[in-house]
């Protein structure tokens, strides 16, 4: 049976992209990487996995709706069904949100609703909380506010340095995200059959 098709959106190093690609029983085929940063190392990772990439620069478009229309065109051409945000540093606008309603998922490095937005790991570290973690959630029009699908806790040790904490959070992300991607795809396939 052919797998559903997915796109990953990323702007940075792509360690989550890599974890998704390395998941042995991945329930989808990643057919496109969408990236808004021409220098991002995730682009090389996609090439290594043979995944086509669409790179755009927002300043070459007049509005967010304009570049999202272009992104949607690429997604439709590639017959993408699911979108997984993995370090995509742009807020998804209504154009894309409406076109892929309930089909866009994000991973965020905190236990939402705590520490939304940028530098979530630094925010938690500076707040001296005992436990932080990672969250996989559907996206909506807010910043890291959409319905939560799954979370994984990461303890902050008394003598932790922020970069150790970051490594443990990344490890948790790399375990959780591919698993949850499989879960949501399988759940939706089952519910659309019944
Ligand atoms: C991850 O921490 C993810 O939770 C956040 O951005 C970071 C991306 O890291 N949204 P990478 O590019 O996957 O290494």
């Amino acid at each position: 049976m052919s797998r559903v098709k997915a796109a990953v959106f990323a702007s940075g190093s792509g360690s989550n992209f890599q974890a998704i690609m390395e998941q042995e029983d991945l329930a989808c085929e990643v057919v496109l990487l969408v990236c808004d940063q021409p220098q991002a190392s995730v682009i090389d990772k996609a090439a290594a996995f043979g995944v086509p990439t669409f790179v755009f620069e927002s300043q070459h478009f007049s509005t967010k709706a304009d570049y999202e229309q272009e992104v949607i065109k690429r997604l439709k051409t590639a017959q993408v069904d699911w979108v997984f945000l993995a370090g995509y540093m742009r807020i998804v606008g209504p154009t894309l949100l409406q076109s892929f309603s309930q089909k866009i998922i994000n991973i965020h490095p905190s236990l939402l609703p705590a520490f939304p937005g940028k530098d979530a790991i630094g925010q938690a570290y500076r707040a001296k909380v005992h436990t932080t973690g990672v969250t996989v959630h559907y996206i909506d029009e807010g910043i890291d506010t959409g319905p939560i699908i799954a979370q994984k806790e990461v303890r902050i040790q008394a003598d932790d340095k922020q970069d150790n904490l970051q490594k443990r959070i990344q490890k948790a992300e790399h375990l959780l995200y591919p698993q949850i991607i499989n879960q949501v795809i399988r759940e939706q396939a089952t519910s659309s059959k019944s």
Side-chain angles (χ1 to χ4, degrees), residues 18-47:
Q18 180 162 351
I20 294 167
M21 296 309 298
E22 288 176 348
Q23 177 73 18
E24 268 178 23
D25 61 344
L26 193 67
C28 57
E29 183 189 355
V30 178
V31 293
L32 188 65
L33 169 76
V34 174
C35 180
D36 63 327
Q37 299 294 331
Q39 309 302 330
S41 38
V42 67
I43 295 171
D44 297 333
K45 291 194 168 84

Side-chain angles (χ1 to χ4, degrees), residues 122-140:
Q123 290 185 55
Y125 185 76
R126 288 188 294 276
K128 300 193 183 344
V129 291
H130 296 299
T131 306
T132 182
V134 305
T135 301
V136 179
H137 64 101
Y138 286 102
I139 65 154
D140 63 10

Side-chain angles (χ1 to χ4, degrees), residues 7-8 11 20 26 29 38 46 51 63 69 71 75 78 80 84 94 102 122 130 150 153 159 178-179 182 187:
V8 175
S11 310
I20 294 167
L26 193 67
E29 183 189 355
V51 174
T63 63
Q69 286 294 0
V71 168
L75 296 174
V80 165
F84 303 119
Q102 301 298 311
H130 296 299
E153 290 187 355
D159 57 349
Q179 268 178 28
N182 279 353
E187 275 171 9

Side-chain angles (χ1 to χ4, degrees), residues 2-193:
S2 71
R3 292 180 295 167
V4 296
K5 294 182 168 60
V8 175
F9 285 31
S11 310
S13 75
S15 68
N16 281 283
F17 171 82
Q18 180 162 351
I20 294 167
M21 296 309 298
E22 288 176 348
Q23 177 73 18
E24 268 178 23
D25 61 344
L26 193 67
C28 57
E29 183 189 355
V30 178
V31 293
L32 188 65
L33 169 76
V34 174
C35 180
D36 63 327
Q37 299 294 331
Q39 309 302 330
S41 38
V42 67
I43 295 171
D44 297 333
K45 291 194 168 84
F49 283 101
V51 174
T53 303
F54 172 54
V55 185
F56 71 94
E57 289 180 85
S58 62
Q59 66 267 30
H60 295 163
F61 296 83
S62 318
T63 63
K64 185 190 282 274
D66 282 349
Y67 73 69
E68 290 198 339
Q69 286 294 0
E70 185 59 36
V71 168
I72 290 168
K73 215 195 294 171
R74 308 293 177 128
L75 296 174
K76 300 273 184 211
T77 304
Q79 298 182 307
V80 165
D81 196 33
W82 286 94
V83 170
F84 303 119
L85 308 183
Y88 179 62
M89 300 305 286
R90 297 198 161 269
I91 296 164
V92 174
T95 309
L96 188 52
L97 211 47
Q98 277 156 26
S99 212
F100 282 81
S101 169
Q102 301 298 311
K103 290 289 181 81
I104 310 181
I105 288 175
N106 182 42
I107 183 144
H108 182 78
S110 76
L111 293 178
L112 291 172
F115 311 120
K118 286 189 181 157
D119 189 25
I121 300 173
Q123 290 185 55
Y125 185 76
R126 288 188 294 276
K128 300 193 183 344
V129 291
H130 296 299
T131 306
T132 182
V134 305
T135 301
V136 179
H137 64 101
Y138 286 102
I139 65 154
D140 63 10
E141 51 295 322
I143 298 177
D144 302 321
T145 50
I148 291 171
I149 306 167
Q151 295 186 303
K152 192 173 176 68
E153 290 187 355
V154 175
R155 299 276 300 166
I156 304 185
Q157 321 290 349
D159 57 349
D160 248 343
K161 297 273 179 288
Q162 193 177 321
D163 51 338
N164 290 337
L165 174 63
Q166 179 156 347
K167 283 188 189 128
R168 294 206 309 287
I169 293 215
Q170 280 175 335
K171 212 168 160 187
E173 289 188 323
H174 301 160
L175 285 173
L176 188 69
Y177 205 13
Q179 268 178 28
I180 300 306
I181 286 174
N182 279 353
Q183 180 188 309
V184 291
I185 292 174
R186 288 180 180 138
E187 275 171 9
Q188 207 165 86
T190 313
S191 70
S192 61
K193 266 189 221 151

